[in-house]
Amino acid sequence: MKNIAADPPAERHPRKVIDGSLLVLLGFTLAGAAAVLWIAGVARALDIIAETFGLLGILAPKIAAGIYIAATLPMLLLRDRVGRLIGQESGLRGLAVAAACGAAIPGGPMMTFPLAAGLTVAGADFGAMVAFVSGWSLLGLNRTLIWEFSFLPSHLVWTRYLLCLPVPVLLGLVARAITRRRPV
């Protein structure tokens, strides 16, 4: 698969509302609710439910914007260009570009994950998206410059950053090796 314009778009699988991840999350939620009821009583459990819905009201517009980005990005980007830049045949350069882009984007998971999903549909390969998300989580410049250098000794920040620097590309290589054996 070269991720060029002549290639068909990635096959989309219908998503289920109730799947394994929802059941696992629901199990942890019910266990947590039971523990709070047992330890702190009904009033505290109701407070937590109210706080949860308040936070949901704050996050919902951001999540909706992220989903919209994921849906529109494949229409706005040329598949062959995305494929050349961060597709399966882009080599180490594509993984480095993906990791650098992940490090450079300033947003949180509500921006990063929809971007990764949209880029995947637009022609990026699995390894590049592993490098992208890993670059965001390990090398995020926004977090490093604002938070880490503000609170941690600079030698600790530099040591952590330099040790993590090759990791997104290495993870991308591993992901590509895995997908060559078994397509994702």
Side-chain angles (χ1 to χ4, degrees):
M1 186 169 158
K2 295 178 181 172
N3 292 325
I4 58 173
D7 292 334
E11 183 179 331
R12 292 184 175 209
H13 302 284
R15 294 182 181 206
K16 298 177 183 174
V17 173
I18 299 174
D19 61 2
S21 62
L22 177 64
L23 293 175
V24 169
L25 196 57
L26 187 61
F28 278 109
T29 301
L30 292 175
V36 169
L37 278 172
W38 178 269
I39 295 170
V42 174
R44 183 63 188 130
L46 292 175
D47 286 345
I48 292 172
I49 290 171
E51 291 169 9
T52 299
F53 280 102
L55 184 60
L56 183 62
I58 293 169
L59 293 178
K62 295 177 182 176
I63 293 170
I67 292 170
Y68 188 79
I69 289 170
T72 57
L73 201 56
M75 293 179 219
L76 301 174
L77 299 175
L78 298 175
R79 187 171 172 77
D80 58 338
R81 286 192 178 181
V82 173
R84 279 195 306 264
L85 187 63
I86 52 176
Q88 198 165 25
E89 304 300 323
S90 63
L92 280 175
R93 180 188 49 82
L95 296 176
V97 166
C101 289
I105 60 169
M110 288 168 280
M111 179 175 208
T112 305
F113 298 140
L115 273 175
L119 288 170
T120 301
V121 175
D125 83 311
F126 187 70
M129 288 305 90
V130 167
F132 176 76
V133 173
S134 301
W136 166 74
S137 64
L138 293 173
L139 307 172
L141 291 175
N142 187 41
R143 184 190 63 242
T144 302
L145 295 174
I146 295 172
W147 295 104
E148 290 186 42
F149 275 118
S150 297
F151 291 100
L152 300 173
S154 63
H155 70 278
L156 188 150
V157 175
W158 280 114
T159 302
R160 186 203 71 77
Y161 204 84
L162 291 174
L163 287 173
C164 290
L165 197 57
V167 174
V169 172
L170 294 174
L171 291 174
L173 285 171
V174 171
R176 281 183 175 168
I178 290 170
T179 56
R180 282 197 179 112
R181 291 176 185 233
R182 190 183 68 169
V184 176

